[in-house]
């Protein structure tokens, strides 16, 4: 009898241990981290290993299944090392440990965190290599490892993370070649600066322009291209006042609910959706537009002729550039019914042809936590409409968005089959042409593309972007 009781007790004890360990494996992983860190401000004192789960702990966030999704311990004066156990937090999306004094290596087990969206370890004293396993993080969008003491090469595997939008490995001791393919085609030299890295060879030099010693007929031919009577340079040559263009960009201005992301990607707007705040340098934009030649649809710069191409559209914004032509529906018979159908609500019962940005913002910023797939698609459509009207195919003369593109969003699986990139580029070209008239002031079109194209293709501009530009370029 006594033996039976002791067996029972033992079983209960064992079961209890198993349950506790299973119930709190994530808590144990976090405690392993805590035990490896020095925490002079005692921020982690409420990380209590006996709690049923870690969801109430300081700067830990969980999802509805009580699984950890965020660790927010940036700027927390922590020292010590990271632990392999972090790899057990299988639902982790944000690992924010920037601006601490964390040393040692980045555990290769971080590569097991396949739901990770953001890995921010910048401004620490980490050493060792960047683990190649990070290439497994197929949802990663932000990877910032700058200002550490990392050595070795940049793993090629990182180029295969298609979602990667922001990369910063500057200010380390990395060596070897900077990859240029895959997701790395997007990144600027600034992401890699201050290492021992080899920069990729520059694009082949442009075909030689007629030299200054060339015949005057060459020059006459060129000036006939630019100096048409209605073009701005003539105003400049007559010493008229220099104009700076205005744009009326309307960014969405709030952080995107995570649940919308997969649908935005499905529809082809995943990358465009990440543009939510920016500074447009109107002086740069004006200087470029001054050089636009209507006849050839190119910028005539002192050194060469160039233009934004469809390739740039995919490179910068990843919008689809082939497929069906985007043709808006010009007259919508029952706009309210269309809105109820696709957006779940309508600004009016009467006839209308456009939506206000303010209405979209007020109605779609917050998504109820209980929203089902059908309901989630409504703010996705609103978001795309906003992106189209506010950033991508901006109409300079209006503060509203035409309803005409909304029908193309009814089936989000189909939306990607339209060539949004070509439509956008066509509008941008036509805006540049309109702007060559000296009296035009308000420019539309996707100015953010013009900006990022200029900074990407003429990377020397990036380094002087905080200085004022010299005008007018034509007088040089
Ligand atoms: C950590 O949590 C505290 C209290 O909730 C909060 O004030 C602080 O901003 C958080 N830190 C980070 C980096 O999120
Ligand atoms: C940073 O960490 C090291 C040990 O890795 C320690 O010696 C040093 O005092 C820490 N510095 C600060 C400011 O906490
Ligand atoms: C985690 O990563 C390590 C090394 O990268 C690997 O050996 C291990 O099998 C992974 N564990 C799981 C559960 O995936
Ligand atoms: C990173 O390091 C560089 C070079 O030491 C320094 O100029 C820069 O300010 C640092 N970045 C931050 C955010 O402190
Ligand atoms: C980039 O090129 C390297 C070889 O130079 C290759 O290993 C890697 O898989 C390529 N990445 C992509 C995304 O094609």
């Amino acid at each position: 009898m006594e033996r039976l009781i002791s067996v029972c007790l033992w079983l209960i004890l064992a079961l209890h241990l198993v349950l506790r360990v299973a119930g709190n494996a994530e808590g144990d992983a976090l405690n392993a981290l805590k035990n490896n860190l020095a925490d002079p401000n005692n921020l982690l004192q409420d990380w209590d290993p006996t709690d049923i789960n870690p969801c109430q702990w300081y700067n830990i966030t969980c999802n509805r299944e009580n699984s950890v999704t965020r660790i927010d311990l940036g700027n927390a004066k922590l020292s010590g090392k990271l632990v392999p156990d972090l790899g057990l937090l299988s639902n982790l999306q944000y690992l924010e440990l920037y601006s601490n004094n964390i040393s040692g290596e980045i555990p290769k087990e971080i590569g097991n965190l396949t739901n990770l969206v953001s890995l921010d370890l910048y401004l620490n004293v980490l050493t060792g290599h960047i683990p190649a396993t990070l290439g497994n993080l197929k949802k990663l969008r932000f990877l910032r490892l700058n200002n550490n003491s990392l050595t070795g090469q940049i793993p090629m595997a990182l180029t295969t993370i298609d979602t990667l939008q922001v990369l910063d490995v500057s200010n380390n001791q990395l060596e070897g070649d900077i990859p240029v393919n895959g997701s790395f085609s997007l990144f600027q030299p600034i992401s890699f600066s201050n290492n021992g890295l080899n920069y990729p060879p520059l694009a082949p030099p442009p075909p030689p322009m007629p030299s200054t010693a060339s015949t005057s007929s060459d020059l006459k031919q060129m000036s006939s291209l630019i100096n048409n009577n209605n073009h701005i340079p003539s105003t400049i040559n007559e010493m008229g006042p220099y104009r700076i263009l205005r744009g009326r960009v309307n960014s969405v201005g709030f952080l995107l609910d995570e649940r919308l992301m997969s649908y935005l990607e499905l529809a082809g707007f995943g990358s465009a959706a990440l543009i939510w705040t920016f500074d447009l340098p109107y002086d740069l934009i004006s200087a470029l537009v001054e050089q636009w030649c209507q006849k050839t649809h190119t910028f005539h710069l002192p050194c060469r002729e160039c233009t934004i191409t469809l390739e740039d559209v995919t490179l910068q914004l990843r919008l689809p550039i082939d497929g069906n032509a985007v043709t808006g529906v010009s007259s919508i018979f029952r706009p309210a019914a269309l809105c109820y159908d696709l957006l779940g609500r309508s600004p009016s019962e009467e006839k209308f042809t456009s939506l206000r940005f303010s209405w979209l913002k007020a109605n779609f910023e917050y998504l109820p936590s209980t929203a089902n797939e059908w309901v989630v698609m409504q703010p996705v459509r609103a978001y795309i409409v906003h992106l189209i009207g506010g950033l991508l195919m901006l109409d300079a003369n209006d503060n509203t968005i035409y309803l005409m593109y909304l029908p193309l969003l009814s089936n989000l699986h189909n939306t990607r089959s339209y060539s949004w990139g070509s439509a956008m580029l066509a509008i941008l070209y036509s805006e540049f042409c309109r702007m060559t008239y000296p009296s035009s002031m308000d420019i539309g079109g996707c100015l953010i593309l013009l900006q990022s194209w200029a900074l990407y293709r003429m990377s020397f501009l990036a380094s002087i972007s905080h200085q004022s530009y010299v005008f007018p370029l034509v007088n040089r």
Side-chain angles (χ1 to χ4, degrees):
M1 184 63 187
E2 208 170 289
R3 209 163 139 221
L4 195 63
I5 288 175
S6 79
V7 167
C8 275
L9 271 177
W10 186 86
L11 267 179
I12 289 169
L13 198 70
L15 197 65
H16 177 79
L17 267 176
V18 166
L19 280 178
R20 193 177 80 71
V21 169
N24 200 6
E26 297 199 330
D28 292 347
L30 288 171
N31 259 292
L33 176 66
K34 173 183 172 178
N35 293 337
N36 267 273
L37 294 176
D39 172 24
N41 293 357
N42 279 326
L43 297 178
L44 310 183
Q45 65 182 348
D46 76 345
W47 286 24
D48 180 350
T50 63
D51 285 346
I52 181 100
N53 64 46
C55 300
Q56 307 303 320
W57 294 357
Y58 182 81
N59 296 88
I60 296 298
T61 311
C62 290
N63 61 15
R64 264 171 285 164
E65 282 77 48
N66 290 329
S67 183
V68 176
T69 56
R70 297 188 70 116
I71 301 178
D72 285 295
L73 287 168
N75 261 319
K77 301 208 161 54
L78 301 171
S79 302
K81 293 191 163 57
L82 300 177
V83 290
D85 309 57
L86 284 173
L88 298 171
L89 302 169
S90 57
N91 287 305
L92 195 65
Q93 296 182 339
Y94 293 82
L95 181 54
E96 307 296 323
L97 291 169
Y98 54 88
S99 292
N100 282 296
N101 178 34
I102 297 175
S103 53
E105 303 201 354
I106 302 174
K108 59 184 183 314
E109 288 76 7
I110 302 271
N112 291 351
L113 301 175
T114 48
N115 283 305
L116 208 60
V117 169
S118 173
L119 177 59
D120 280 329
L121 302 176
Y122 56 92
L123 288 164
N124 279 293
V125 287
L126 294 164
T127 51
H129 292 192
I130 300 175
T133 53
L134 298 189
N136 300 334
L137 304 176
K138 294 298 180 233
K139 294 187 182 166
L140 198 65
R141 280 194 252 139
F142 307 93
L143 176 60
R144 283 171 285 219
L145 305 175
N146 51 296
N147 295 64
N148 280 291
S149 300
L150 298 169
T151 52
Q153 303 199 346
I154 299 178
M156 264 303 163
L158 297 184
T159 60
T160 63
I161 310 178
D162 291 337
T163 48
L164 203 57
Q165 293 285 330
V166 174
L167 173 84
D168 195 342
V169 295
S170 63
N171 301 300
N172 279 292
Q173 288 140 38
L174 299 168
E175 334 167 295
D177 294 333
I178 298 177
V180 289
N181 56 344
S183 57
F184 275 57
S185 58
L186 271 182
F187 302 127
Q188 318 257 341
I190 198 159
S191 297
F192 307 100
S193 62
N194 221 352
N195 280 286
L197 290 163
N198 308 322
Y199 286 84
L202 291 172
M209 287 288 289
S211 73
T212 38
S214 63
T215 58
S216 61
S217 81
D218 275 344
L219 290 177
K220 231 178 244 154
Q221 205 188 345
M222 238 187 92
S223 62
S224 81
L225 279 174
I226 304 186
N227 268 345
N228 122 18
N229 276 345
N230 278 324
H231 200 290
I232 344 123
S234 58
T235 331
I236 290 168
N237 292 338
E238 287 149 21
M239 288 325 223
Y242 181 73
R243 91 192 153 146
I244 294 223
L245 302 174
R246 296 176 304 212
R248 213 180 277 160
V249 180
N250 207 317
S251 71
V252 180
F254 53 82
L255 267 177
L256 197 55
D257 192 298
E258 276 296 320
R259 286 169 287 172
L260 309 191
M261 212 52 220
S262 57
Y263 294 99
L264 286 165
E265 254 147 36
L266 172 74
F269 287 83
S271 293
L274 295 172
I275 314 168
W276 65 282
T277 171
F278 46 80
D279 268 332
L280 281 176
Y282 283 106
D283 42 6
L284 169 63
I285 287 172
S286 309
L288 282 168
V289 174
E290 301 294 313
Q291 304 305 112
W292 183 253
C293 173
Q294 282 199 37
K295 276 190 200 145
T296 56
H297 284 177
T298 53
F299 297 106
H300 278 253
L301 303 181
C303 55
R304 63 189 287 196
E305 207 180 308
C306 52
T307 196
I308 307 179
T309 62
L310 278 177
E311 187 198 349
D312 293 305
V313 175
T314 27
L315 192 66
Q316 306 278 347
L317 296 167
R318 305 208 178 160
L319 287 175
I321 55 166
D322 39 33
N324 302 324
V326 173
T327 46
V329 178
S330 61
S331 73
I332 290 170
F333 185 53
R334 292 167 58 210
L338 179 75
C339 286
Y340 280 119
D341 239 19
L342 299 184
L343 300 174
R345 60 199 85 180
S346 169
S348 157
E349 303 300 323
E350 319 271 294
K351 222 165 156 60
F352 57 98
T353 55
S354 57
L355 298 172
R356 299 192 152 277
F357 289 111
S358 53
W359 181 79
L360 288 173
K361 260 183 209 174
N363 283 277
F364 296 99
E365 180 166 0
Y366 298 104
L367 180 61
S369 60
T370 53
N372 59 21
E373 182 173 9
W374 176 254
V375 174
V376 171
M377 288 200 194
Q378 295 167 350
V380 171
R381 293 190 190 100
Y383 206 90
I384 297 177
V385 166
H386 195 141
L387 281 174
I388 292 175
L391 288 177
L392 301 175
M393 305 194 193
L394 189 73
D395 181 338
N397 300 316
D398 212 341
N399 249 332
T400 56
I401 309 154
Y402 290 113
L403 217 45
M404 62 182 180
Y405 300 116
L406 187 56
L408 305 187
L409 311 180
S410 66
N411 177 351
L412 290 176
H413 292 266
N414 254 337
T415 303
R416 203 192 189 100
S417 70
Y418 290 94
S419 182
W420 295 100
S422 343
M424 196 203 80
L425 191 61
I427 291 179
L428 189 60
Y429 279 10
S430 82
E431 282 297 306
F432 290 159
C433 290
R434 200 168 62 78
M435 284 300 122
T436 58
Y437 293 94
S439 56
S440 335
M441 286 293 279
D442 291 302
I443 181 170
C446 187
L447 299 179
I448 187 95
L449 174 66
L450 173 61
Q451 177 193 22
S452 59
W453 169 83
L455 297 183
Y456 180 72
R457 296 286 177 194
M458 296 176 257
S459 43
F460 60 91
L461 289 173
S463 57
I464 56 164
S465 63
H466 298 298
Q467 299 170 9
S468 52
Y469 294 99
V470 181
F471 297 114
L473 289 173
V474 277
N475 284 353
R476 280 208 195 144

